[in-house]
Amino acid sequence: MNGSNKFAYPLFKPAKGRHTDMFREKYVKHCIKKGLMPEDSISNEKINSLVASNDPEDKIHFWQLYSVLGEDGMKKVITIFYMSVLNDTENAWFSEAFKEKSLKRHVRGQCEFWLDLMGGGVEYKKGLEGLECLHEASSEVMTSKGAKVW
C-alpha cells in the first residue's frame, strides 16, 4: 500500500453511548453463530474497539463509524437516507408512513440513536422502551417487506 492511502483513525474521538455495548455484543454473537465472524470476536480488541482500524484490510463495524465520520458526517448520511425514503415513489406505501413527521425530526431522532450506538456518546435518551414504542407506532412498515425497502 502506498503512503498516501493510509488511514489515521480516529478522525473523531469516540465515546460509548447507553446502547453501544448491548447492540455490539448482540451483533457480534449473532455473526459468530452464523459463521460470519471468528469465534474470538467477543474478546478481540480490534473488533470491539470504538476506533476503526487503520488497516484497509479490516472491516469497519457500525460501532466504529463515529470515529470515521463524526457527528456531521453521520447526520449527512442520515439526511440523504431520509430524503430518499420520503421521496420514494416506487414504494409509496412505505414512504407515506414517514411523511407524518418532518425530515428534520426524523433526522434528529435517528442521529441521536446512531450517535449513541456508534461511538458518539450518550445521545439517545429514550432508552429501549422509547425505541420499541417508535417501532410499534410504525408497525405497518416494520415487516420483512419494509425491512427490504429500508
Side-chain angles (χ1 to χ4, degrees):
M1 166 174 227
N2 75 36
S4 64
N5 291 333
K6 288 191 178 177
F7 301 112
Y9 302 133
L11 299 178
F12 303 91
K13 185 180 178 190
K16 283 185 189 178
R18 292 174 61 188
H19 306 296
T20 308
D21 288 338
M22 182 190 66
F23 279 97
R24 176 181 51 206
E25 184 175 328
K26 281 184 174 187
Y27 179 80
V28 171
K29 284 181 176 178
H30 172 79
C31 288
I32 291 169
K33 185 177 178 182
K34 296 284 187 184
L36 301 172
M37 292 178 96
E39 289 289 326
D40 73 340
S41 295
I42 289 288
S43 60
N44 185 312
E45 180 62 34
K46 198 177 217 183
I47 289 173
N48 285 286
S49 174
L50 292 179
V51 177
S53 172
N54 288 309
D55 183 340
E57 300 297 317
D58 291 338
K59 291 181 179 179
I60 295 177
H61 302 286
F62 67 81
W63 53 88
Q64 298 169 336
L65 284 174
Y66 182 84
S67 74
V68 176
L69 299 173
E71 186 171 345
D72 290 343
M74 290 176 81
K75 184 175 182 179
K76 194 176 290 187
V77 169
I78 292 166
T79 301
I80 292 167
F81 171 77
Y82 272 105
M83 287 173 60
S84 175
V85 167
L86 293 169
N87 294 314
D88 186 351
T89 55
E90 261 183 65
N91 299 291
W93 63 273
F94 186 82
S95 63
E96 285 302 317
F98 293 90
K99 290 185 178 174
E100 185 178 304
K101 297 178 185 167
S102 70
L103 173 66
K104 185 177 180 179
R105 189 165 172 195
H106 283 298
V107 169
R108 184 180 65 242
Q110 194 72 40
C111 274
E112 288 172 0
F113 183 69
W114 274 26
L115 287 168
D116 191 279
L117 189 67
M118 300 180 190
V122 177
E123 293 291 330
Y124 193 72
K125 311 286 192 267
K126 294 176 184 149
L128 293 179
E129 300 81 24
L131 183 63
E132 288 172 7
C133 285
L134 287 171
H135 287 168
E136 285 173 16
S138 304
S139 61
E140 71 275 13
V141 297
M142 298 304 279
T143 62
S144 55
K145 183 179 177 184
K148 288 178 184 171
V149 175
W150 186 258

